[in-house]
Amino acid sequence: MSERSGIPGEGLVKGLAVTLKTMTQRSTTQQYPDVAPELPPRSRGVIALLTENCTVCMLCARECPDWCIYIDSHKEEVAVAGAARPRQRNVLDKFDIDFSLCMYCGICIEVCPFDALYWSPEFEYAEFDIKDLLHDKDHLGQWMATVPPPPAHDRHGEPAKEETTAARKAAAPTSSAARPTVVRPAAPRTAPESGPAPAQSPEPGPAPEPGSAGDGGASR
């Protein structure tokens, strides 16, 4: 076994030096829960629900890997002015998320086509009973007050797809008068197919003179 190199007690001296250096610096410990921590704007705390935007498309429940979203709804008829018959719409009755099963992947928020689900930075919702981690739509709707506003778009970044589509529609001509007139070339004439020529009537010739053989009279 090789002997250790160095001065005996060198590690102890270095440890005391680090301790004395740290004692003279200001503490950076966050005094939680007396002082709320400063979370990043994209932190994942709890999922908030905007009930008015939910159309019960069931995409979030189908794409959830943990199957922790439970949705129930019913259909109602809505009378539309000028329509031949009333239309039907889905009315949300139940929207529950079991946070004891949720793994906070955010897939439900990404696949929602109508922006009904949002990330809230709130994370203080621990319960003594695991059954209380099943949040209904009313409880999820209360978290919308804590959802931060979206960050400003980078002016050097690419424009959103919706902005590009709206600009293209605005630049396109809307009236028929503004549209250029397209002149189509005439279709070329095709030669008649080969085959027997149709019988043509003979052209009328000059009338025979009177007394000629062609007239049927006797020659003198």
Side-chain angles (χ1 to χ4, degrees):
M1 182 181 294
S2 61
E3 298 181 357
R4 296 182 180 179
S5 61
I7 303 174
E10 183 181 1
L12 179 60
V13 175
K14 289 184 178 180
L16 290 174
V18 173
T19 303
L20 293 175
K21 181 180 179 180
T22 307
M23 290 177 61
T24 59
Q25 295 179 355
R26 186 177 180 180
S27 177
T28 57
T29 304
Q30 295 183 355
Q31 302 300 325
Y32 177 83
D34 298 333
V35 179
E38 295 181 1
L39 300 176
R42 298 183 64 183
S43 59
R44 300 184 178 187
V46 71
I47 300 175
L49 171 66
L50 186 59
T51 311
E52 293 78 9
N53 289 3
C54 182
T55 59
V56 200
C57 63
M58 304 294 293
L59 279 177
C60 57
R62 289 198 297 263
E63 298 295 334
C64 178
D66 293 334
W67 293 88
C68 63
I69 301 178
Y70 312 101
I71 302 176
D72 193 7
S73 65
H74 70 278
K75 293 184 178 294
E76 289 185 356
E77 291 186 353
V78 180
V80 181
R85 57 182 181 179
R87 298 181 180 178
Q88 291 185 349
R89 68 169 183 176
N90 294 325
V91 179
L92 183 64
D93 295 332
K94 174 184 177 182
F95 196 106
D96 297 347
I97 298 180
D98 191 353
F99 285 98
S100 64
L101 300 176
C102 179
M103 64 179 185
Y104 304 92
C105 62
I107 294 179
C108 57
I109 299 177
E110 295 177 2
V111 301
C112 181
F114 300 103
D115 295 335
L117 298 174
Y118 296 88
W119 276 120
S120 171
E122 296 293 332
F123 60 92
E124 298 176 340
Y125 53 94
E127 302 290 346
F128 290 100
D129 192 353
I130 193 174
K131 297 179 181 179
D132 295 334
L133 289 176
L134 182 66
H135 292 182
D136 57 1
K137 66 175 183 177
D138 296 333
H139 199 171
L140 297 175
Q142 296 176 1
W143 296 113
M144 282 299 303
T146 61
V147 175
H153 184 69
D154 186 6
R155 59 189 183 91
H156 298 292
E158 297 181 358
K161 180 178 61 176
E162 293 79 8
E163 296 179 358
T164 307
T165 305
R168 190 187 306 111
K169 291 182 178 180
T174 55
S175 59
S176 58
R179 297 179 181 176
T181 305
V182 179
V183 179
R184 298 182 178 179
R189 297 181 179 180
T190 58
E193 299 179 357
S194 59
Q200 297 181 357
S201 57
E203 296 181 358
E209 296 180 0
S212 61
D215 195 16
S219 59
R220 298 179 181 178

